[in-house]
Amino acid sequence: MLELKNVSKFYYQQDTVASGFSKINLKLNRGEFVAITGESGSGKSTLLNVLSGLDTYEEGEMYINGQETSGYSETDFEAYRKKYIGNIFQSFNLVNSYTVYQNIELVLLINGFKKSEVKHKILEVIEKVDLLKYKNTKASKLSGGQKQRVAIARALVKETPILVADEPTGNLDSKAARKYYEIIT
Ligand code: ADP
Ligand code: MG
């Protein structure tokens, strides 16, 4: 479904060029669970951003379902993200003044769903991450673990074929990490 051939990412700053990652070859198939490991600064986040269509690559080829993407415009990548990618961000990126329900609803509205048709879907995913009691609680009032579960729910509710999570269990104990794994797989 996703294939990278010798893909490199450079960061250009004034007179210097920094490498995000270099010559990555990777093939990801539907239904696979893949973990990318490496020391801090090795390019994991950068790679996930490129795979998610959030960042550009400068060298090599990235294929989506066999289609080469070097000619993709921003609009093409936006459409790709909409159709294929659910992101769970390390910093959660929740709207603090919105409730759990509203945070999840927002993603669906942005993706073209109508308010009237998403209620069931939202409640279902809130139940999945065990936050029904908090559905009307503002994100600012949640604990770190609860925020993380909202972030998971928000990525799951789009029902995209690809789920991208950066450092998903970095702040969790092993029991919470196992639970997280159960929810997303
Ligand atoms: P990891 O997630 O594995 O810790 P990153 O993908 O965040 O690594 O970073 C990979 C490399 O790219 C690092 O050397 C980092 O300094 C560099 N880098 C990341 N983001 C930027 C940026 N916006 N501008 C310039 N360099 C960056
Ligand atoms: Mg990182």
Side-chain angles (χ1 to χ4, degrees):
M1 156 165 261
L2 258 185
E3 184 170 9
L4 272 65
K5 286 187 183 164
N6 285 314
V7 174
S8 302
K9 164 78 194 167
F10 304 115
Y11 290 107
Y12 299 96
Q13 296 155 319
Q14 286 130 18
D15 308 330
T16 60
V17 182
S19 170
F21 58 79
S22 173
K23 302 220 179 284
I24 295 282
N25 288 285
L26 191 67
K27 214 171 181 172
L28 304 174
N29 296 311
R30 220 188 160 107
E32 266 184 330
F33 182 92
V34 178
I36 295 164
T37 61
E39 55 192 65
S40 176
S42 58
K44 304 180 295 293
S45 296
T46 308
L47 176 60
L48 293 181
N49 287 340
V50 170
L51 291 179
S52 307
L54 284 169
D55 211 342
T56 56
Y57 57 95
E58 278 65 47
E59 207 179 74
E61 289 141 39
M62 180 162 96
Y63 297 85
I64 297 161
N65 283 335
Q67 195 182 22
E68 217 273 305
T69 59
S70 58
Y72 266 34
S73 64
E74 253 178 63
T75 321
D76 292 331
F77 272 116
E78 233 170 76
Y80 161 67
R81 289 184 44 69
K82 214 173 200 173
K83 185 166 171 206
Y84 287 93
I85 304 290
N87 274 106
I88 305 173
F89 294 103
Q90 203 174 347
S91 48
F92 311 137
N93 292 359
L94 304 181
V95 181
N96 272 321
S97 59
Y98 275 27
T99 64
V100 168
Y101 185 95
Q102 289 169 326
N103 265 284
I104 298 167
E105 181 185 53
L106 182 63
V107 179
L108 292 175
L109 297 182
I110 289 170
N111 281 282
F113 289 86
K114 293 200 185 68
K115 232 181 156 116
S116 55
E117 67 186 18
V118 296
K119 192 169 175 203
H120 178 73
K121 214 192 228 321
I122 297 170
L123 291 176
E124 204 171 66
V125 80
I126 292 179
E127 179 169 23
K128 191 164 188 188
V129 297
D130 214 6
L131 284 176
L132 268 186
K133 264 198 283 185
Y134 297 89
K135 69 176 161 44
N136 295 322
T137 304
K138 286 190 176 168
S140 58
K141 300 261 162 54
L142 300 174
S143 73
Q146 290 166 338
K147 282 183 190 171
Q148 184 154 35
R149 278 183 276 152
V150 179
I152 298 171
R154 214 178 35 172
L156 288 176
V157 79
K158 268 180 81 184
E159 294 175 336
T160 51
I162 303 173
L163 200 58
V164 177
D166 196 354
E167 307 276 359
T169 57
N171 302 311
L172 303 179
D173 60 41
S174 61
K175 189 170 156 233
R178 206 168 317 122
K179 176 97 186 143
Y180 184 110
Y181 178 81
E182 275 166 26
I183 294 171
I184 64 170
T185 52

